[in-house]
């Protein structure tokens, strides 16, 4: 008799590969990119520098960062053909669906999209160039589509603005103040990578077949779309708006728990303490409020955290990155439909780093299943089957 298969639903606790990209200690609330603590990166780095770190494995020199930033700026604009495709998509289409479609479309205009290179180093650099193109273009795609669905003309990227500030400009038509731009920049840093999460794992599975980088990123976007992954931040803002006031928080949360439903933005598959990214984001809200004004949703969010932690903390359930990023995006005037696409816009640098790592030490990812269906059934001709 065959030995029973040990089942790990959702691959929980299963180590499938070694990685040098991201370290997480969920018990202590530690997150590091390439060994650098997320708090240090949030205080001192920029998204451009963080993207370089993820893609190249080390912090850049000033010259390297300047060149990398200039390369990003040079790739931001959509080509006439790319813009024509974007304009042909339904204005009612969900931004995540548009982003997924446009990443696939961009690949069609890259003559090296699926071109194998004779030397590993050349192939790695070619894939970095593809990654840089996607990092640069995804903000332009999202901002242009948002303006098109509001019957506004898309705005061209601005040469003198940072990655974060340029997105906010293309969205609103106004250059953001320094605090707003820096706050959004840190949000992008915090979302840039997070180990073998569902979307990153999807990208690595696709890459493990030796499919191209564009296909791997498309797989990741489709995975991130789900409300149990990237879609949770949209659910957070809807929950806070539904609660309406701090007086309603306790009965609302108690009702959610009584119905065995999810408190959006609370809990994480990895962290058993407060998500370190949530701590950083909460501190950013204080500074943003000085520029944008105090927002009542923040008061509701703090009350939800207090009640949620009281009721769920003993189970290791605390606020995650979605909880306060949703509040920040709302304060910045970003439509909630863009919350998850912004997650993708930031995470693409991490996805690409993992795809490169997968290519470098590739093994086809092919887990087993525990089959529980019928055994050795006899085929019955269709004329003899009972209705």
């Amino acid at each position: 008799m065959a030995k029973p298969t040990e089942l790990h639903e959702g691959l929980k606790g299963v180590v499938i590969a070694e990685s040098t990209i991201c370290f997480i200690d969920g018990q202590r609330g530690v997150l590091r990119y390439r060994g650098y603590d997320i708090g240090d990166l949030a205080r001192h780095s920029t998204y451009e520098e963080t993207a370089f770190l993820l893609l190249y494995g080390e912090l850049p020199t000033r010259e390297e960062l300047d060149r990398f930033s200039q390369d990003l700026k040079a790739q931001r604009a959509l080509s006439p053909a790319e813009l024509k495709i974007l304009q042909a998509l339904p204005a009612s289409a969900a931004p995540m669906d548009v982003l997924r479609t446009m990443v696939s479309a961009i690949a069609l205009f890259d003559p090296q999209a699926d071109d194998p290179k004779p030397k590993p180093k050349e192939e790695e650099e070619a894939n970095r160039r593809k990654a840089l193109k996607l990092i640069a273009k995804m903000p332009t795609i999202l901002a242009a589509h948002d303006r098109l669905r509001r019957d506004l003309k898309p705005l061209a990227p601005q040469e003198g603005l940072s990655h974060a500030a340029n997105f906010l400009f293309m969205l609103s038509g106004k250059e953001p103040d320094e605090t707003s731009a820096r706050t959004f920049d840190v949000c992008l840093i915090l979302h840039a990578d997070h180990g073998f999460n569902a979307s990153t794992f999807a990208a690595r599975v696709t890459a493990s077949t030796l499919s191209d980088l564009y296909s791997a990123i498309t797989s990741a976007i489709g995975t991130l779309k789900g409300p149990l992954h990237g879609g949770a931040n949209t659910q957070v803002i809807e929950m806070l708006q539904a609660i309406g006031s701090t007086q309603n928080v306790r009965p609302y949360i108690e009702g959610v728990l009584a119905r065995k439903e999810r408190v959006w933005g609370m809990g994480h598959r990895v962290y058993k303490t407060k998500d370190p990214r949530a701590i950083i984001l909460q501190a950013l809200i204080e500074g943003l409020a000085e520029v944008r004004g105090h927002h009542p949703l923040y008061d509701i969010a703090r009350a939800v955290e207090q009640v949620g932690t009281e009721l769920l903390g003993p189970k290791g359930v605390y606020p995650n990155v979605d909880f306060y990023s949703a509040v920040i995006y709302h304060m910045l005037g970003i439509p909630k439909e863009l919350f998850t696409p912004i997650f993708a816009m930031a995470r693409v640098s991490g996805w690409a780093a993992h795809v490169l790592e997968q290519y470098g030490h590739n093994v086809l990812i092919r887990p087993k299943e525990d089959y529980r269906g019928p055994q050795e059934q006899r085929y019955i001709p269709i004329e003899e089957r009972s209705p």
Side-chain angles (χ1 to χ4, degrees), residues 135-256:
I135 293 169
K137 286 182 180 290
M138 283 171 67
T140 310
I141 292 167
L142 292 175
H145 175 254
D146 184 73
R147 291 183 67 84
L148 285 170
R149 70 195 185 105
R150 290 187 285 137
D151 293 324
L152 298 173
K153 183 179 179 181
L155 296 174
Q158 294 296 293
E159 171 72 21
L161 297 179
S162 70
H163 194 71
N166 188 65
F167 174 75
L168 295 177
F169 164 76
M170 290 190 296
L171 205 59
S172 68
K174 300 177 182 178
E175 287 194 22
D177 59 84
E178 187 176 340
T179 300
S180 297
R182 179 55 186 162
T183 298
F184 188 63
D185 191 37
V186 174
C187 288
L188 298 182
I189 292 171
L190 299 179
H191 282 90
D193 195 62
H194 208 247
F196 279 30
N197 56 83
S199 56
T200 298
F201 183 65
R204 292 189 74 130
V205 170
T206 301
S208 80
T209 71
L210 297 185
S211 188
D212 63 284
L213 183 135
Y214 294 107
S215 294
I217 300 302
T218 303
S219 296
I221 293 171
T223 306
L224 186 70
K225 180 182 174 182
L228 294 185
H229 191 11
N233 51 14
T234 303
Q235 303 285 347
V236 168
I237 209 69
E238 292 176 353
M239 176 187 72
L240 297 177
Q241 290 172 331
I243 291 172
S245 71
T246 55
Q247 288 81 8
N248 298 333
V249 168
R250 183 171 291 277
Y252 183 94
I253 299 301
E254 289 178 345
V256 167

Side-chain angles (χ1 to χ4, degrees), residues 8-37:
H8 297 274
E9 290 188 337
L11 296 180
K12 185 176 182 179
V14 176
V15 177
I16 67 129
E18 294 181 345
S19 179
T20 64
I21 298 170
C22 187
F23 172 80
I24 305 170
D25 185 331
Q27 297 298 325
R28 295 190 298 134
V30 175
L31 173 61
R32 300 183 189 127
Y33 298 166
R34 304 283 193 185
Y36 293 94
D37 184 78

Side-chain angles (χ1 to χ4, degrees), residues 275-294:
D275 188 330
R277 299 168 296 176
I279 296 172
I280 295 168
L281 289 170
Q282 188 172 8
L284 287 173
I285 291 175
E286 306 289 349
L288 189 60
E290 294 181 6
V291 174
R292 295 267 174 167
H294 184 77

Side-chain angles (χ1 to χ4, degrees), residues 266 274 282 301-310 319 323-324:
M266 297 286 293
K274 189 171 180 177
Q282 188 172 8
R302 286 196 303 174
V304 170
E305 178 181 1
Q306 182 179 357
V307 174
T309 300
E310 174 193 328
F323 193 75
Y324 285 116

